[in-house]
Amino acid sequence: MQLVAIQQAVAARSILATMPRVIESVGRSDFSSGLFDIARRFTGTEIVTAFVAAPDGEVHTLLAENHYNSGQPALDIARRYVSRHWGADPANAIALDESDEADCWGVRMKAGDIESSAYRSECYLSVGLSERFSLLQRREAGTMRLSIYRRRKESFSEAEIDNLVESAPLLMAALWRHYEVTKPAGGRGAARDFHARLEKAAPELSKRERDVCALVAAGLTSEGIALELGVGINTVLTYRKRAYARLGISSQNELMRILM
């Protein structure tokens, strides 16, 4: 595993020219696909993920995108990784100081660098991945990590790494802003509390309808709810519409009155 300090740098011109559309999409459903398209264009990646490890220990999956011909959906791989293998990832053992002179850090890791055979098998070998380059940055809200993967028997070129390094400040700034816009206002604890209240206040709702309403109340956007539940945005909208109809309401404010 190779750890590289990334100093303040102007974003690479090639990526900079493609970023306005992604920046404009912060908080919207097309943010993840737009960022993935940029990463794929300049690195040939098949999978891109981003996570935020909050100070309370919760890990938020900010995005998980892959090319439609890549086999397993990236979101499934991301969930498996967070639930089973987060603690086995050597990158998560790196202590980052938010006062570091470097804007962020770059970690280049190959499957062979992973000691856990289960993690290596389930998140790399079984899905045809061989190498990962990650950008990490710590702020008061937690530690952000953007990871770009290459397929088996492929490796990042020095030009691709240079592109990622030079564009790191811009990429991470966009991700942090997207996280601020889409994260639950009260965290997952608030969502769990709202879910429990809905079980008592609205037993007529299905579990999925309660899931969606609890996350709406916690402040997630439709995109954030879709990512949290692993469903499409249209499915989220359908559950929300159905739940609101059962409750006889038409807005988030009315939902909050029921919960409070």
Side-chain angles (χ1 to χ4, degrees):
M1 183 172 67
Q2 179 184 7
L3 182 64
V4 182
I6 301 174
Q7 303 297 330
Q8 180 83 11
V10 177
R13 292 179 183 273
S14 55
I15 292 183
L16 181 61
T18 64
M19 281 296 290
R21 178 171 62 89
V22 173
I23 293 172
E24 290 172 358
S25 69
V26 164
R28 300 200 319 245
S29 60
D30 54 340
F31 174 83
S32 297
S33 59
L35 192 145
F36 172 76
D37 288 344
I38 288 177
R40 189 163 190 266
R41 175 179 173 184
F42 292 105
T43 68
T45 184
E46 294 291 340
I47 295 182
V48 175
T49 61
F51 304 95
V52 176
D56 61 6
E58 289 188 354
V59 179
H60 303 269
T61 302
L62 187 58
L63 66 87
E65 290 281 338
N66 63 319
H67 190 244
Y68 66 92
N69 286 328
S70 295
Q72 295 187 48
L75 185 58
D76 289 348
I77 301 171
R79 282 177 167 168
R80 186 185 314 144
Y81 165 67
V82 171
S83 64
R84 302 179 188 175
H85 307 298
W86 181 264
D89 190 333
N92 294 328
I94 299 172
L96 299 180
D97 187 341
E98 58 187 318
S99 64
D100 275 346
E101 293 182 2
D103 279 341
C104 58
W105 292 88
V107 180
R108 187 173 184 174
M109 189 172 70
K110 296 186 177 181
D113 296 327
I114 300 171
E115 293 184 3
S116 168
S117 59
Y119 170 34
R120 185 171 60 251
S121 174
E122 291 188 18
C123 296
Y124 280 82
L125 303 183
S126 68
V127 292
L129 300 176
S130 63
E131 188 174 350
R132 182 184 84 192
F133 186 81
S134 299
L135 298 172
L136 294 87
Q137 187 177 47
R138 184 174 181 270
R139 292 187 178 181
E140 185 178 351
T143 300
M144 174 79 70
R145 192 180 78 216
L146 171 67
S147 293
I148 315 291
Y149 294 83
R150 291 305 302 261
R151 296 186 65 79
R152 191 178 299 175
K153 296 182 180 179
E154 295 179 356
S155 185
F156 290 104
S157 68
E158 291 306 314
E160 290 168 343
I161 295 297
D162 288 344
N163 234 345
L164 289 170
V165 167
E166 291 175 356
S167 61
L170 187 58
L171 287 168
M172 299 305 274
L175 284 164
W176 278 114
R177 181 58 183 154
H178 188 67
Y179 174 61
E180 290 168 0
V181 171
T182 60
K183 71 178 179 180
R188 291 183 182 176
R192 286 192 292 269
D193 179 54
F194 289 140
H195 195 284
R197 294 187 192 188
L198 280 168
E199 285 185 309
K200 296 179 179 179
E204 67 272 24
L205 298 182
S206 69
K207 180 181 181 304
R208 248 333 183 213
E209 290 166 352
R210 285 196 298 271
D211 290 340
V212 169
C213 286
L215 292 170
V216 167
L220 261 72
T221 63
S222 296
E223 184 207 13
I225 295 172
L227 191 59
E228 186 77 14
L229 299 181
V231 299
I233 290 180
N234 287 337
T235 300
V236 170
L237 297 177
T238 297
Y239 281 127
R240 187 178 67 184
K241 182 178 180 180
R242 189 182 300 164
Y244 280 15
R246 292 184 196 276
L247 296 172
I249 62 176
S250 59
S251 69
Q252 183 179 354
N253 288 337
E254 292 176 292
L255 173 63
M256 294 304 296
R257 281 197 287 271
I258 292 175
L259 290 168
M260 297 302 179

